[in-house]
Amino acid sequence: ILVINKFGTHDNEKLKLVNHTYELIIETEYFLNAVKDMETGQRGYLLTKNSDYLEPYNIGSKNAKESLQKLKILTANEPAQLELLEATEHFLKLKVDELQRTILFTKNKNYDAALSLVKQNIGKAYMHRVRDLLDQFISKENNTLHLKKLDLEESNQNTLYILRISFFVFLTIIFFFLYRSLTQNKLLQIANTKAQEAVVTKSEFLANMSHEIRTPLNAIVGFIDLLKAEVKETKALEYLNIVDKSSNSLLHIIDDILDFTKIESGKLEIDMINFDPRLDFGICTHLFDAKCSKKNITLSLNIDQNIPHYLYTDAFRIKQILSNLLSNAVKFTPNGGSITTSIDFIDEKLYVSVKDTGVGIADNKIDHIINSFSQEDSSTTRNYGGSGLGLSISKSLVELLGGKLSINSELGSGSEFSFYVPAQIAQDVSLELEEVEEENTLSGIVLLVEDNKTNQMLMEIILDELGFDFHIANDGLEAIEHFKNNVYDVILMDENMPNMGGIEATSHIRELEEKEQRKLTPIIALTANALKGDREKFLNAGMNEYQAKPLDKKKLQTVIQKVL
């Protein structure tokens, strides 16, 4: 005000025009930064699923609309500029709609849809158009500013004031950009930190969950196997088979959850091998014969006779996908129905189809059932059971292998689930199977390191049947004391134990062996830790082998024979 009062009326008008143009330029930068705040808030929310990051998004959205409205008011008498702003407003609305859709998808836990929308780069195209229009807008304002400044500089009396104003505006803009840059970097750092913390917390939770569930399951499955070998009465054996089946179903659900988590975090590994499609798909399909027989379902397998004898791909994952599809088909096909599995190989692609005469799926539910933890409606879980992860995992596995899963269904008329994956023709050589030696009676002394009393009882029976003498340590500290006073042929080492865990105990044992120049004692990790990377973790800690719980007696025997 003091500066303006020093000029005459004519000079005052010139200075007002210059200030007006500066105001437009700065307001344009405010608008762009408000849009960036929206994007920062949206990214923070998508990364962490933390609703706190919606606050900068909402503030940015509000500020962007207010800045754009202010710009339109300031250019009300400039038709060409107003037209550019109206076009900018149009693309801003499209950009806001795209951001809002990804946020809504994330709120509804439809992460695949949110990721798909982001990958389409629609919002990026809208933002590019907004910037292009604003570049044109600012370019015209800069030209106008240049002309006005030249006009103003014709009066020497005004030069000093223009320099002062320009310097002030320059400092204001620099300060503004520094402030915004620091704020945005801080928000991104917070988002990244929270995302990393969430990943660590999730991994720790899954490791603990897996361990806590597998530990009692080990005892349940182990004692069931022992009882089935002892019990001869038909009715009691029938009950034991039911418990055995239920235990394996629970273990299958745990494995599904862990597989889903590996896929979600991008840590699932593909293991490519040569395999015989006729043999492997035949075994995989006929595993469902008993279930089909109970419901009087006709189960057929059609394999193209021209299919190569051997293919190269991840056979385990393909059989996992086929098993999921067959399990669903049996579950949803009524008594007296039919299921047909078809296998074909065309143009270096393996095609697999499972067609049933089941209840079918409504058109508007097909996309929904592929989502994680989703089924057709709430009654599906009550009537048929299941975790709602099978199809989601199958779709992700197919895509990891470079293929595609398709669904063709009609409500009340059955469904066909089909997929294809790339596969190479492998050399037509016979896979040499190692001849299994006749089971010899094992002997020696075993140190069992296990804190769970029930699992101790189970292992006592198994080790006795295998022909071993054994000592029991309840934790890592006891294991070290036993090792100091005895010589063992093999050590079976648990991990999660009170006082001292298995990895730390192994380290102390290896140090004692080196210090006392003792012969290396084979140590087998026998633990409920069964997440990705656990096997490598135990081997890197100095153990020789690894067996996950629930325990398979035959596998344990094979591993002990191997290390001995």
Side-chain angles (χ1 to χ4, degrees), residues 107-118:
K107 282 183 178 179
N108 293 328
K109 299 184 179 180
N110 194 349
Y111 305 129
D112 287 345
L115 181 61
S116 175
L117 184 56
V118 171

Side-chain angles (χ1 to χ4, degrees), residues 3 21 37 93 112 126 204 241 266 400 418-419 446 451 464 477 524:
V3 171
T21 307
D37 285 349
K93 288 179 179 177
D112 287 345
Y126 294 151
E204 290 176 351
N241 285 328
L400 277 173
S418 58
F419 68 92
V446 174
D451 64 308
D464 187 60
L477 289 176
I524 300 172

Side-chain angles (χ1 to χ4, degrees), residues 321-471:
I321 298 164
L322 177 57
S323 293
N324 280 339
L325 299 184
L326 282 169
S327 178
N328 277 348
V330 174
K331 186 189 301 182
F332 294 107
T333 299
N335 292 346
S338 64
I339 299 171
T340 302
T341 301
S342 301
I343 313 292
D344 206 348
F345 184 79
I346 304 171
D347 296 332
E348 295 193 336
K349 289 186 178 69
L350 178 65
Y351 290 84
V352 180
S353 164
V354 176
K355 188 173 184 179
D356 63 60
T357 58
V359 297
I361 309 163
D363 287 341
N364 61 342
K365 296 291 185 180
I366 289 178
D367 291 336
H368 176 70
I369 64 170
I370 295 180
N371 293 334
S372 309
F373 302 103
S374 298
Q375 297 191 332
E376 188 170 1
D377 56 47
S378 59
S379 65
T380 303
T381 302
R382 293 194 303 271
N383 295 332
Y384 300 101
S387 63
L389 281 174
L391 279 179
S392 177
I393 291 172
S394 297
K395 180 176 181 292
S396 298
L397 289 175
V398 168
E399 291 172 355
L400 277 173
L401 291 168
K404 183 179 180 181
L405 175 71
S406 302
I407 304 173
N408 184 20
S409 183
E410 184 178 342
L411 193 62
S413 300
S415 305
E416 181 177 10
F417 290 80
S418 58
F419 68 92
Y420 71 83
V421 294
Q424 299 175 14
I425 299 175
Q427 290 296 322
D428 210 11
V429 294
S430 299
L431 299 176
E432 295 183 2
L433 299 177
E434 295 181 3
E435 291 187 7
V436 181
E437 297 181 3
E438 291 185 7
E439 292 187 5
N440 297 318
T441 303
L442 296 172
S443 62
I445 303 177
V446 174
L447 174 60
L448 172 67
V449 190
E450 169 67 65
D451 64 308
N452 185 281
K453 298 300 180 184
T454 309
N455 283 330
Q456 286 180 7
M457 291 173 59
L458 173 65
M459 289 304 300
E460 286 176 14
I461 297 170
I462 291 174
L463 291 173
D464 187 60
E465 288 182 352
L466 292 177
F468 285 109
D469 294 323
F470 53 87
H471 296 159

Side-chain angles (χ1 to χ4, degrees), residues 469-483:
D469 294 323
F470 53 87
H471 296 159
I472 295 177
N474 293 293
D475 56 41
L477 289 176
E478 287 189 19
I480 294 170
E481 291 303 313
H482 277 286
F483 185 77

Side-chain angles (χ1 to χ4, degrees), residues 80 99 153 196 211 379 413 460 486 488 540 557 559:
L99 293 175
E153 287 171 356
Q196 290 167 4
H211 182 273
S379 65
S413 300
E460 286 176 14
N486 299 279
Y488 295 102
N540 291 335
Q557 181 178 359
V559 169

Side-chain angles (χ1 to χ4, degrees), residues 21 26 106 133 153 162 172 175 195 254 263 285 338 340-341 368 371 509 516 518 549:
T21 307
I26 293 174
T106 305
L133 289 165
E153 287 171 356
I162 291 173
T172 303
F175 175 77
I254 297 168
I263 293 168
T285 301
S338 64
T340 302
T341 301
H368 176 70
N371 293 334
I509 289 171
E516 299 174 5
R518 294 170 63 170
K549 297 175 183 176

